[in-house]
Amino acid sequence: MASASLLAAALLASALASSCSYSDQFADYRDEGINFIAARDFSPANIDLTDIGFETPALWTWAWRGSVDSTYDYMTFTDQGTVGASAVSGLASTAEYYRLELDDLVTNGNFEAFADEAALLASGDWTESDAARMEIGPTSIHDNSINLSFGSSAQWVAFDLSSLNGLVAGNDYPFTLIMNSASVLSVGYQVAAAFPGGTPNTLDRITAQLQSGDTEKIYFYSNNVGTAVLDDLRAYRYDLVDVSNLRLRLRPSDTSPILADGFYEFTLWVRKPADARFSSETGALANLASRYVTLRMSNLREGQGVAGGRFSVNGDGQWHQIVLRQDLNFEGIAEGTETAIELAIFPFDAQSSDPGPEPGAVEIAQPELHFYLDGY
């Protein structure tokens, strides 16, 4: 009887087990294809680029907005519509895409707006010594450039630093000025209130401190008789490099499923704009494209687990996905109501000095955040 009772109990337990479906509470966390920020895409409802919304969680905001001494738009984020027919496998045709750009603080630094030397001088941004010549004309760089001609080492042309955008009277502005050059014969620069003085430096990248309202100029000159070509004069505030990004701050409740401790993957689709050229390219189009995009994931809970990566923008004008993964997993982010993760997008190289930041534009679409329960 005892054996029969045990057998009946076993059969009943087996029947009950077979009639019940097993529920895996971690199923969503095991599915690496789930996009945790599907509801935080680049639709207008998820974007607030004002100084009021710059710290609002669950919205794409500017990291620098509200924390600087100027209301100038040091970056721009322009709606380009939906991806449409340019969609590729993995990128939805209905996805919104935007043009993300680090703004050039030099007005008309590509010289396309000037018809001739007289127009250049009339702008007030440029001056020259009597015997120097600044001729506007097409070159092998990017369409119109300044063709410089020096008859002696005492001749110069100068750019007025007070014409840079985004300045507020009385404030200091650390900036970097970069440019393209060709056929350079001992041409250099000098940051000074008068010429000459100091030691000229190789024409490439200038970093200086500017007090708004100063009359300082950058002088271009030659140690000998010769010619030079300048194009794509660009400037940015190097004190804002680390915060010159589009960011998304997330609380545990801002994702679906909610955030959990573990390994994350941040992906983004990027494309070179059709109307722009890399600074390293030649071509007739005036707009400059970003050569690099930097992605960063940060754990805002005591900084445990930070990942960053620099990615080249492909020159073929097609959409390509870039992928950032962590070396260390995020810890301590699953509890509480405060922001836990920050995702950041820089439209330039934010990780190295070569080439370093350059004003320029890139098109971006469909940000995604994926979770890996047991590592990649």
Side-chain angles (χ1 to χ4, degrees), residues 173-176 206-209 236-242:
Y173 290 89
F175 70 94
T176 297
I206 308 162
T207 298
Q209 187 86 12
Y236 63 88
R237 285 183 56 172
Y238 69 75
D239 61 323
L240 299 183
V241 167
D242 192 56

Side-chain angles (χ1 to χ4, degrees), residues 289-332:
S290 303
R291 289 194 281 170
Y292 298 94
V293 171
T294 301
L295 298 183
R296 188 172 65 195
M297 288 190 289
S298 303
N299 182 352
L300 301 180
R301 304 284 179 83
E302 300 180 356
Q304 297 176 342
V306 177
R310 182 192 77 168
F311 304 88
S312 297
V313 177
N314 197 294
D316 63 4
Q318 305 299 313
W319 288 107
H320 296 274
Q321 190 180 51
I322 56 178
V323 178
L324 174 65
R325 289 178 169 179
Q326 303 163 263
D327 293 327
L328 299 172
N329 68 313
F330 281 167
E331 298 177 351

Side-chain angles (χ1 to χ4, degrees), residues 31-304:
D31 185 352
E32 297 157 0
I34 291 179
N35 176 15
F36 276 47
I37 56 171
R40 311 297 173 196
D41 60 9
F42 287 149
S43 59
N46 291 328
I47 301 168
D48 187 342
L49 305 181
T50 69
D51 56 354
I52 297 175
F54 87 108
E55 288 187 324
T56 305
L59 294 176
W60 290 97
T61 66
W62 293 132
W64 53 266
R65 180 74 83 188
S67 61
V68 297
D69 47 16
S70 173
T71 58
Y72 184 78
D73 289 327
Y74 293 102
M75 299 180 69
T76 57
F77 194 49
T78 310
D79 192 347
Q80 304 293 295
T82 56
V83 170
S86 66
V88 295
S89 178
L91 175 61
S93 61
T94 56
E96 296 268 355
Y97 79 100
Y98 283 74
R99 185 184 183 108
L100 178 64
E101 185 164 7
L102 178 65
D103 189 67
D104 180 7
L105 303 185
V106 179
T107 300
N108 298 323
N110 55 31
F111 308 117
E112 306 304 319
F114 302 112
D116 50 30
E117 180 184 27
L120 193 67
L121 294 173
S123 71
D125 299 344
W126 291 85
T127 53
E128 64 182 4
S129 60
D130 290 340
R133 289 292 177 265
M134 297 188 293
E135 295 182 357
I136 297 294
T139 68
S140 60
I141 303 180
H142 293 125
D143 210 0
N144 279 357
S145 302
I146 295 183
N147 299 287
L148 304 179
S149 178
F150 303 101
S152 73
S153 59
Q155 296 170 7
W156 50 264
V157 300
F159 174 71
D160 187 350
L161 294 177
S162 67
S163 67
L164 293 178
N165 295 318
L167 306 184
V168 175
N171 293 335
D172 288 324
Y173 290 89
F175 70 94
T176 297
L177 192 74
I178 52 180
M179 64 222 71
N180 279 329
S181 59
S183 304
V184 176
L185 296 176
S186 301
V187 175
Y189 65 84
Q190 182 172 332
V191 179
F195 176 86
T199 303
N201 297 276
T202 302
L203 191 66
D204 180 18
R205 189 176 284 259
I206 308 162
T207 298
Q209 187 86 12
L210 173 67
Q211 175 82 22
S212 179
D214 284 355
T215 57
E216 289 185 330
K217 298 180 179 180
I218 297 217
Y219 290 85
F220 304 96
Y221 57 98
S222 176
N223 293 330
N224 301 291
V225 176
T227 61
V229 177
L230 296 182
D231 201 0
D232 304 330
L233 192 65
R234 292 155 284 158
Y236 63 88
R237 285 183 56 172
Y238 69 75
D239 61 323
L240 299 183
V241 167
D242 192 56
V243 292
S244 292
N245 63 69
L246 181 72
R247 72 178 180 191
L248 176 67
R249 287 184 164 179
L250 299 167
R251 300 162 297 189
S253 60
D254 292 329
T255 65
S256 181
I258 62 173
L259 295 177
D261 290 1
F263 291 86
Y264 286 86
E265 174 187 81
F266 181 26
T267 68
L268 184 71
W269 290 85
V270 302
R271 183 173 70 170
K272 178 186 176 185
D275 66 344
R277 291 285 185 273
F278 295 140
S279 60
S280 56
E281 287 184 285
T282 59
L285 296 180
N287 296 320
L288 288 178
S290 303
R291 289 194 281 170
Y292 298 94
V293 171
T294 301
L295 298 183
R296 188 172 65 195
M297 288 190 289
S298 303
N299 182 352
L300 301 180
R301 304 284 179 83
E302 300 180 356
Q304 297 176 342

